[in-house]
Amino acid sequence: MSYQVFTYEQPFELESGERLPGLQIAYHTYGRPTSGISNVVWAFHALTANSDVFSWWPGLFGENDFFNPKDNFIVCANVLGSPYGSTCPHDLDFPQFTVRDVVRAHLLLAEHLQVDHIKVIIGGSFGGSQALEFALLFSGRIENMILVASAACETAWGIAVHEAQRLALQADNTFGLPGGGGKGLQAARAVGMLTYRTAEAFMATQTDTDERTDHFSAASYIRYQAEKLERRFDALAYYYLTKCMDSHNVGRGRGGLPKALAGINIRTLIIGIDSDRLLPVALQKYMARHIPGAVYKEIASEYGHDGFLVETTKLTAVIRQFLVEKQVRQLPARELAGLMAGDEDFQLIDVREPFEVAIASIGGINIPLKDIPTR
Amino acid sequence: MSYQVFTYEQPFELESGERLPGLQIAYHTYGRPTSGISNVVWAFHALTANSDVFSWWPGLFGENDFFNPKDNFIVCANVLGSPYGSTCPHDLDFPQFTVRDVVRAHLLLAEHLQVDHIKVIIGGSFGGSQALEFALLFSGRIENMILVASAACETAWGIAVHEAQRLALQADNTFGLPGGGGKGLQAARAVGMLTYRTAEAFMATQTDTDERTDHFSAASYIRYQAEKLERRFDALAYYYLTKCMDSHNVGRGRGGLPKALAGINIRTLIIGIDSDRLLPVALQKYMARHIPGAVYKEIASEYGHDGFLVETTKLTAVIRQFLVEKQVRQLPARELAGLMAGDEDFQLIDVREPFEVAIASIGGINIPLKDIPTR
C-alpha cells in the first residue's frame, strides 16, 4: 500500500469557468502495474470516504479479497473537495465544483501515473457517479465498468435530501468559520442516515422492548452516527460535496442521458440493491437499458443503500461471475467472420465444427485448432 | 365556528410527575350538540396543525363536507405544547410531556364542554396517536374511532427521524432563546418533508428538464416548505412535540400493545395509505388485527404519508361507507338471541325466516315484523 499526494501546479479550470490555482490529489495504490495486459483497478469513493479503499470496502478490496494487490494494481483517489488530503474548501469562498471537475482531477492523476489502460473501474453511490463520468472522459482504454447503487443523474429525491442536509449545516451559525459547523454536520449526517437504511431496518434493529418514554435506542443510534462523523469529517466539505453530487448528470452537454449512455463502449455491470431507498433500482435498470450490452444484477439486502458497503460477499459473487466466468458461447462461422472484420473486442477460445472434431481429436481429446481447416 | 381558549386553573400533573401550574387549551367548535343521540365528532390534529380543522382538513371537514356543522358538533383542540393558543414551551425549562399528557388535556376540555358521548373520534398521523390514547382514557362513550396513517406506538423509524430533526434544531445556536431557532426549525421541517412524501413523488414532480448545475427545483421546493413553516411555527414547540410523539405507546402500563388494543370496545376503522413511508401500512394492519372487529381499509395514493391530508375524496368515500352504509347481514335466530342477551351494540332491521315470509307477505311485498312469530 502506498499513500501519496499528487500536486498539480497549474491553474485548474472548473466547469463553472472559475479557477483553482492548483490541485492536491491524495491517493492510495496497492500492488504493482503489469506491463502488457492491464491489471489496473480504479475505485471511486462515496461522499465521506477517503482514498484508502481497503479501509472502507473490506471484503471486496483487501489483501485476500477479490480485488487484491497480488493480482491487481489498485488505485483510489480522494475526491476534490474532501478533507482527506485533497484540495478542499476552507471557507465559503471556495468555488462550486461539479462531478466533472472531480473526475478531471482523477484524469490528471491517471496521466501522472501513466495509466492509459484500465481493467476495471468501479464505484458505489457517489463513487458510481464518478466512475460513469470517468468512463465518458477518460481518453485511454477501459475494459470493464462496475456501478453499484448509483445513477446516471442525481435525482430530484437526492437533491431534496441534500438540500435538507445543507439547511441543517447552515442552521449552525458557526458554519463557514474555521473549525466551525460541527453541530450542523452532525445533523446533516443524521439526515443522511435516514436515507442510507430503511424504515423497516430501523424498526427491526432499534425498537425498544421496554416501555421507556425517552432515551430511545433509535435516537441514540442516530446521535452516535452523527457524532462519529463530526469527529472525522468537515462541515464545509460536506456542503460542497453535496452540491457537487447534485450536479451529476452525464447527459449534460452530451445530448441528454440516453444518448450519453448509448455512447459508452465498455463492458458494464450494473448492480442494484433491492431495498435501496436513496437510489432505487429503477435508476440502475435505466442505465442498464441504455448502456449497450450492460448486464444488470440485483442484490437482496436488508441494508438499503448502505448495502453497497455491507454486502461484499454478494458483490464479490456477482462481480466474479461478471469478470471471471465470462460467457462462452458457440458462434457460427459467419458471425465469427463478422466479428473478425469489425472493431468489437472478443477473445477466441476455439473453433470447432462437427467435421473438424475428427481432424482435431486425438484419442478422444479435443485439441485447439491453429488454423481453420477446409473440408 | 367558534374559537375559544379553555383555561384550567389547577396544577396539571404530567406523566413524568412534573407539574404545570395550569393549562390553556385553545379549541374550535363547529355546529351545535344535539340532545339524545350524540352528534359529537372530535378531531385530533397532527404535528404542526392547529384547532381549526376546517382549515387543514378541507374536503373532509367543512360546511358542505362529510363532517359538517349542520349534522355534527365538531370539536378540535390545539394540543398542549403547540404555539396555536395552548400552553407551550417558551424556553428549555418546560417539562417534557407525553401523548397521554396531551390527551389528558383534551379530557379536561371534554369535561368542560360536558361531552360524555361521542359519535366519532378521528385523527391522522400524530392525531391518530391522540385519538387512540383518547379512546383508552375517555371515561364516556365513544361509538366510532377512525385512525388514518397512524400507529399504536411510535416506531424506531419515527424516533430516528425526530432525532435527526432535533439535531437540526439544536445545531442552531439560537435555539431556546426568545424568538430563536428559526433556521434550525427550517432544517427540521425539511427533514420532515422527506418523510411525508416518497422518493418517487419527488422524482415525478421535481425533476428539472434542463441541464442546470445548481438551483434545482427539488432544492427550491424543500427550502420553500422550510421557510413557510418557520413563518408559522416555533422551534421549541417543534422540539417538544417531536419528543412527545416519541412517547406514543398505548401499551405502556397496560400490559403491552396487543393487550391494550384488545381492550378497545369501539367500532374502529383503520385507514392506511399504500405509499406511506413514515408509518407504513404494516403498522395499521397490526392495529386492525388487535382491535376487536376493526375494519382495515387501504387508500392508494402517490402522496405518501401526506395522503392523509390530501386524499380527502377517497377518505370521505371510505369513512362514509363505514359510518353510513353499515353492513347489513343475515343472522340466525340463535345468534340474534345471543346478541340481545349481550352488551354489544347493534341495530335490528328485520327478522325474516322462510316460514315467516308467508306470514309477513302482503301481495308479494315483505313488510317488517313487529314480533317474532311462532311456527
Side-chain angles (χ1 to χ4, degrees):
Chain A
M1 181 195 89
S2 154
Y3 170 78
Q4 290 182 69
V5 179
F6 163 57
T7 303
Y8 179 75
E9 293 182 341
Q10 296 169 51
F12 182 74
E13 187 170 322
L14 301 169
E15 195 178 350
S16 65
E18 292 196 75
R19 284 177 176 212
L20 296 173
L23 273 186
Q24 284 204 330
I25 302 296
Y27 66 98
H28 274 72
T29 63
Y30 315 76
R32 294 179 171 281
T34 46
S35 59
I37 298 169
S38 170
N39 70 337
V40 176
V41 174
W42 197 299
F44 299 86
H45 71 72
L47 175 59
T48 67
N50 54 37
S51 58
D52 186 5
V53 61
F54 279 28
S55 74
W56 54 264
W57 221 346
L60 185 62
F61 281 84
E63 290 298 331
N64 299 302
D65 290 326
F66 182 78
F67 292 119
N68 62 66
K70 295 185 289 288
D71 299 330
N72 308 283
F73 177 56
I74 299 163
V75 184
C76 183
N78 182 227
V79 300
L80 168 64
S82 165
Y84 285 104
S86 294
T87 299
C88 68
H90 292 294
D91 55 44
L92 283 163
D93 285 336
F94 200 81
Q96 276 184 30
F97 52 89
T98 66
V99 181
R100 289 192 193 169
D101 296 323
V102 166
V103 168
R104 284 177 49 248
H106 293 322
L107 296 174
L108 291 174
L109 176 63
E111 196 175 335
H112 168 72
L113 295 173
Q114 296 180 301
V115 168
D116 60 4
H117 190 171
I118 300 178
K119 189 172 69 172
V120 181
I121 60 173
I122 179 170
S125 191
F126 178 41
S129 308
Q130 296 161 54
L132 192 53
E133 194 65 57
F134 191 93
L136 286 158
L137 291 175
F138 184 57
S139 61
R141 174 78 199 283
I142 300 167
E143 285 176 50
N144 300 282
M145 171 163 65
I146 302 170
L147 307 173
V148 191
S150 55
C153 177
E154 187 55 274
T155 67
W157 172 239
I159 293 168
V161 171
H162 297 155
E163 187 68 12
Q165 293 179 304
R166 288 187 292 263
L167 283 168
L169 289 165
Q170 291 171 312
D172 184 338
N173 314 41
T174 67
F175 175 67
L177 302 177
K183 288 175 87 177
L185 177 59
Q186 282 194 27
R189 171 63 159 194
V191 177
M193 287 309 299
L194 302 177
T195 69
Y196 302 152
R197 300 289 169 101
T198 65
E200 291 73 17
F202 272 91
M203 293 184 213
T205 62
Q206 302 292 334
T207 295
D208 298 298
T209 51
D210 55 16
E211 297 187 336
R212 67 185 73 181
T213 56
D214 200 357
H215 308 295
F216 297 98
S217 304
S220 304
Y221 174 75
I222 285 290
R223 217 165 40 241
Y224 168 76
Q225 294 291 345
E227 289 167 358
K228 210 167 74 170
L229 189 82
E230 192 205 343
R231 286 194 292 274
R232 72 172 181 84
F233 213 73
D234 178 80
L236 274 168
Y238 207 93
Y239 181 90
Y240 275 90
L241 286 172
T242 56
K243 291 293 273 187
C244 171
M245 288 164 79
D246 287 356
S247 76
H248 177 48
N249 179 357
V250 296
R252 184 168 66 248
R254 295 180 181 124
L257 289 179
K259 197 173 164 192
L261 295 172
I264 292 173
N265 184 23
I266 300 171
R267 242 184 123 238
T268 300
L269 171 63
I270 291 168
I271 304 174
I273 297 160
D274 64 352
S275 55
D276 194 338
R277 297 280 185 275
L278 185 57
L279 293 169
V281 296
L283 302 168
Q284 283 93 57
K285 289 178 182 169
Y286 179 89
M287 290 194 288
R289 275 202 306 279
H290 287 93
I291 297 175
V295 173
Y296 173 71
K297 295 282 180 187
E298 198 164 302
I299 282 180
S301 176
E302 293 172 358
Y303 289 95
H305 186 66
D306 263 357
F308 92 89
L309 291 170
V310 179
E311 302 287 2
T312 50
T313 304
K314 289 178 183 176
L315 283 176
T316 298
V318 171
I319 292 170
R320 183 190 301 279
Q321 189 187 32
F322 178 76
L323 291 179
V324 180
E325 301 158 18
K326 291 186 183 183
Q327 288 148 332
V328 177
R329 65 186 179 97
Q330 289 193 320
L331 279 183
R334 185 186 297 270
E335 192 178 338
L336 175 61
L339 279 177
M340 293 173 81
D343 281 342
E344 197 169 336
D345 186 39
F346 67 95
Q347 190 182 3
L348 187 60
I349 297 175
D350 195 9
V351 175
R352 196 67 51 104
E353 299 218 1
F355 80 92
E356 295 168 330
V357 173
I359 300 169
S361 173
I362 298 173
I365 297 164
N366 290 331
I367 56 165
L369 285 165
K370 193 172 167 218
D371 302 307
I372 299 179
T374 50
R375 241 178 245 261
Chain B
M1 182 193 91
S2 154
Y3 171 78
Q4 289 181 70
V5 179
F6 162 57
T7 304
Y8 180 75
E9 292 182 340
Q10 296 170 51
F12 182 75
E13 187 170 323
L14 302 168
E15 194 177 350
S16 65
E18 293 197 74
R19 282 177 179 214
L20 295 173
L23 273 185
Q24 285 204 328
I25 302 295
Y27 66 99
H28 275 72
T29 62
Y30 315 76
R32 294 179 169 281
T34 45
S35 58
I37 298 168
S38 170
N39 70 336
V40 176
V41 173
W42 197 300
F44 298 87
H45 72 71
L47 174 59
T48 67
N50 54 38
S51 58
D52 185 6
V53 61
F54 279 27
S55 75
W56 54 264
W57 221 346
L60 184 62
F61 281 84
E63 290 299 330
N64 299 302
D65 290 326
F66 183 77
F67 292 117
N68 61 66
K70 294 184 289 288
D71 300 329
N72 307 283
F73 177 56
I74 298 164
V75 183
C76 183
N78 182 226
V79 300
L80 168 64
S82 166
Y84 285 104
S86 293
T87 299
C88 68
H90 292 294
D91 55 44
L92 284 162
D93 284 337
F94 200 81
Q96 276 184 29
F97 51 89
T98 66
V99 181
R100 288 191 194 170
D101 296 325
V102 165
V103 168
R104 284 177 49 249
H106 294 321
L107 296 174
L108 291 174
L109 176 63
E111 198 174 335
H112 168 71
L113 295 174
Q114 297 180 297
V115 168
D116 59 5
H117 191 172
I118 300 178
K119 188 171 69 171
V120 181
I121 59 173
I122 178 170
S125 192
F126 178 41
S129 308
Q130 296 160 55
L132 192 53
E133 194 65 58
F134 190 94
L136 287 157
L137 291 174
F138 184 57
S139 62
R141 173 79 199 283
I142 300 167
E143 285 177 50
N144 300 282
M145 171 163 66
I146 302 169
L147 307 173
V148 192
S150 55
C153 177
E154 186 56 273
T155 67
W157 172 239
I159 293 169
V161 171
H162 297 155
E163 187 67 13
Q165 293 179 303
R166 287 187 292 263
L167 283 168
L169 289 165
Q170 291 170 311
D172 184 336
N173 314 41
T174 68
F175 175 67
L177 303 178
K183 287 175 87 176
L185 177 59
Q186 281 194 27
R189 172 62 160 195
V191 177
M193 287 308 299
L194 302 177
T195 69
Y196 301 152
R197 300 290 168 102
T198 65
E200 291 72 17
F202 272 92
M203 292 184 216
T205 62
Q206 302 291 335
T207 296
D208 298 297
T209 52
D210 56 15
E211 297 187 335
R212 67 186 73 181
T213 57
D214 200 357
H215 308 293
F216 296 98
S217 303
S220 304
Y221 175 75
I222 285 290
R223 217 165 40 241
Y224 168 75
Q225 294 291 344
E227 288 166 0
K228 211 168 72 169
L229 189 81
E230 191 205 344
R231 285 194 293 275
R232 71 172 182 85
F233 214 72
D234 177 80
L236 275 168
Y238 208 92
Y239 181 90
Y240 275 90
L241 285 172
T242 57
K243 292 293 271 188
C244 170
M245 287 164 80
D246 288 356
S247 76
H248 177 48
N249 179 357
V250 296
R252 183 167 68 250
R254 296 182 180 124
L257 288 180
K259 197 172 164 194
L261 295 173
I264 291 173
N265 184 24
I266 299 171
R267 243 184 121 238
T268 299
L269 171 64
I270 290 168
I271 304 174
I273 296 161
D274 64 352
S275 55
D276 193 338
R277 299 279 185 274
L278 185 57
L279 292 169
V281 296
L283 302 168
Q284 282 92 57
K285 289 178 183 170
Y286 179 89
M287 289 193 289
R289 275 201 307 279
H290 288 92
I291 297 176
V295 173
Y296 173 70
K297 295 283 179 185
E298 198 164 301
I299 281 181
S301 175
E302 294 172 357
Y303 289 94
H305 186 68
D306 263 356
F308 92 89
L309 291 170
V310 179
E311 303 287 2
T312 49
T313 304
K314 289 177 183 176
L315 283 176
T316 299
V318 171
I319 292 170
R320 183 189 301 278
Q321 189 185 33
F322 178 76
L323 290 179
V324 180
E325 301 158 18
K326 293 187 181 181
Q327 287 148 332
V328 177
R329 65 186 179 100
Q330 290 193 318
L331 281 184
R334 185 186 298 267
E335 192 178 336
L336 175 62
L339 280 176
M340 293 173 81
D343 281 343
E344 197 170 336
D345 185 41
F346 67 95
Q347 189 182 4
L348 186 61
I349 297 175
D350 195 8
V351 176
R352 194 69 51 102
E353 300 219 1
F355 81 93
E356 295 167 331
V357 173
I359 301 168
S361 174
I362 297 174
I365 298 164
N366 291 328
I367 57 165
L369 285 166
K370 193 171 167 221
D371 302 308
I372 300 179
T374 49
R375 242 180 245 262

